[in-house]
Amino acid sequence: MTMLGRLIDGVSVRVLILLGVLAVALLIAPLIAGDYLLTVLILILYFAYIGQAWNIMMGFAGQLSLGHALYVGLGAYTAAALYVHFGIGPWLGLLVAVPVAALAGAFIGFLAFRFKVGGVYFAILTIAVCEFARVGFDHLAWTRGSSGLFLPVSQYSGNDLWHLRGRPVMFYYILLAATALAFVGCRALLQSRIGYFWRAIREDEEAARSTGIDTFHYKMIAVVISASMTSFAGVIYAFYYNNLFPEQVFHISRSIEIILGPIVGGVGTLFGPILGAFVLTGLAEILNNVLAALGIDLPGAKQVFYGICLLFVIMALPDGVWPWLARRMGLSERSK
Amino acid sequence: MSTLLKVEGISKRFRGLLAVDRLSFEVPKGAIFAVIGPNGAGKTTLFNMIAGVYTPDGGTITFRGERIEGLTPDKVCRRGIGRTYQIVRPFPALSVEDNVIVGALLHRNGVVDARAHALDVLRRLDLYDKRAQLASSLTLPDRKRLEVARALATDPKLLLLDEVMAGLRPTETDRIVAILRELNRETGLTIVLIEHVMRAVMALAGQILVLNHGKPIAQGEPQAVVHDKAVIDSYLGAEALS
């Protein structure tokens, strides 16, 4: 079978049509959407992409990370600092940023998996390292500490893809490509030997070991892939927002934001992170607009809204929105 | 017949309790070997030491001429020992087929090859028709056979079965007995089983080892063992002979 054949093997026609429609809609969206809507879509794609990366660890391999902001921040800071200090562009910066994040992931993974730190204790360890980074970067002079690292900005007439200097529409297409690649890549991973071993570990680690799986090795792979993918989003974040503050980038609420999408959409599913990002970010923006239109000023309304969404999903659709929606639409994505 | 598994003087202590006490025995290649004994006799502890879950406090375990005591469970499995659990632990959210594919992937790199092998194993264990179901939706007898299938898919030379008949009705027991006997005859698979269901033990085993308080109290041919006075006193009870 060809690569493509294997990828779409077992996928129903309906799912392929849905994917096609979604792809076309997202491709032409910037032509129709105004400036504001475009920034919302960028945010949605950003969370869809990171959600997919986080899902590799939690949804596939069963390892709960509550500190994914660490990898975003390391990617963002590494690439931004290289750009500010040495004029090294983001794509070359990736060659440093990704290994830095991967190393951080490997460090956490090694500590946890070598010394059998599992479950909630693993989650706490991920928070701890992220907090450590937040405090550390607050005092790191090279990245301007707590006063923030700023990328030079000017009015752009064109889009410089090589230096990621340009208008939002460029970032939109980069994130769209990244999300699409992540989706296809995750599907390929799930269907591979690694994917089977991950799911076995997720389901029952001891039984997986007695089936001959070197669980340490495969959990390490999951963390390193997830961290690397996430750091790419960090690089884009840095060049999109042009400013980085440790208090914002590494804050625990950032880590939580990352995981809400996949949880609402459906942990362990391929569509879950994408759907979750649309639902959460989309509805939150609608809420903001409604409140603004009504002249109500409610700081923190978004957080309350996220809380309500999460509560609703946990109570009504504990597997997430996607498995339910898939059943309703007659699309049977088996819980792969 | 050559020796496949050789256990020499292994012991395991849990705080004050000596669960297995300087136990020695040999399992010849191609044999079906049963370990019986009352609850708490140390049977599962013995399995866990062979399978690498516990490191023995002393003694050696030799498998195919190589020492394996103290290896991790995944390494033991890769050497060719498959095991099932007393309390079944299939991968619940995976389909029956995917459960077995996980095992089949141990010695196969391609998922396509692994799936073909998994389907063969499922046919052998009478689970082929249920291959698309989630493991969590299976009945207990089916889950027990699924565990055997997953272990079998790793191409073991030795299969450790921890009470696969427990909780099954007699007809289901006979079904598993028939499957295991066929496997042993056709593929030469060596089987060590822990079992309380004497109906199955008598039908399958060529050799029986009886444990009590971590020590062997009898070993030998089934007929001789069940008539052994020490075995009757400590485990089977006089009515077993009637």
Side-chain angles (χ1 to χ4, degrees), chain A residues 191 193 203-204 206 209 212, chain B residues 74 89 92-93 105-106 111:
Chain A
Q191 285 182 309
R193 191 166 189 253
E203 293 295 310
D204 188 329
E206 197 189 320
R209 269 165 79 82
Chain B
D74 51 308
R89 350 180 34 152
L105 278 167
L106 180 63
V111 174

Side-chain angles (χ1 to χ4, degrees), chain A residues 26-300:
Chain A
L26 288 171
L27 274 171
I28 60 170
L31 305 177
I32 306 158
D35 285 349
Y36 166 69
L37 191 57
L38 192 64
T39 60
V40 174
L41 285 172
I42 287 172
L43 213 55
I44 288 173
L45 288 176
Y46 173 79
F47 281 120
Y49 173 81
I50 302 192
Q52 203 75 262
W54 177 80
N55 200 34
I56 290 176
M57 259 177 84
M58 180 62 198
F60 299 173
Q63 307 302 311
L64 175 58
S65 165
L66 293 178
H68 253 50
L70 172 69
Y71 311 124
V72 176
L74 288 177
Y77 263 107
T78 307
L82 288 175
Y83 187 68
V84 169
H85 290 299
F86 310 115
I88 296 171
W91 300 106
L92 289 176
L94 265 178
L95 299 178
V96 184
V98 170
V100 165
L103 267 178
F107 170 71
I108 293 176
F110 181 83
L111 275 186
F113 307 148
R114 174 72 184 76
F115 299 105
K116 306 216 162 42
V117 177
V120 282
Y121 301 101
F122 175 73
I124 290 171
L125 178 68
T126 62
I127 295 176
V129 177
C130 191
E131 284 292 292
F132 179 78
R134 182 175 63 85
V135 176
F137 273 85
D138 252 344
H139 296 91
L140 188 65
W142 193 57
T143 57
R144 312 267 193 271
S146 57
S147 51
L149 184 62
F150 293 85
L151 276 71
V153 188
S154 58
Q155 271 303 331
Y156 300 112
S157 49
N159 291 316
D160 181 353
L161 193 60
W162 180 246
H163 291 107
L164 285 185
R165 307 281 75 194
R167 293 196 304 269
V169 68
M170 178 180 70
F171 292 94
Y172 174 85
Y173 280 113
I174 289 170
L175 282 169
L176 181 59
T179 307
L181 273 176
F183 180 84
V184 173
C186 283
R187 163 103 184 141
L189 279 172
L190 261 194
Q191 285 182 309
S192 71
R193 191 166 189 253
I194 289 180
Y196 277 92
F197 288 172
W198 280 342
R199 280 177 292 157
I201 292 167
R202 176 191 75 194
E203 293 295 310
D204 188 329
E205 191 165 340
E206 197 189 320
R209 269 165 79 82
S210 74
T211 315
I213 299 171
D214 182 346
T215 54
F216 175 82
H217 178 76
Y218 286 96
K219 287 194 291 185
M220 286 297 278
I221 293 178
V223 178
V224 168
I225 292 181
S226 182
S228 306
M229 275 176 70
T230 307
S231 67
F232 172 76
V235 175
I236 300 301
Y237 178 99
F239 283 76
Y240 179 62
Y241 285 109
N242 297 307
N243 61 72
L244 297 171
F245 296 93
E247 283 301 322
Q248 279 177 10
V249 178
F250 293 106
H251 198 268
I252 186 164
S253 63
R254 283 301 163 91
S255 296
I256 302 296
E257 252 174 18
I258 289 169
I259 76 172
L260 287 181
I263 290 176
V264 167
V267 176
T269 66
L270 290 168
F271 280 100
I274 300 172
L275 183 67
F278 268 97
V279 169
L280 274 183
T281 310
L283 289 181
E285 287 303 322
I286 292 171
L287 179 81
N288 269 347
N289 284 319
V290 170
L291 288 178
L294 293 172
I296 302 169
D297 181 26
L298 265 181

Side-chain angles (χ1 to χ4, degrees), chain B residues 4 35 68 101 187 189 232:
Chain B
L4 185 71
V35 181
I68 59 162
I101 289 177
T187 66
L189 177 70
I232 293 167

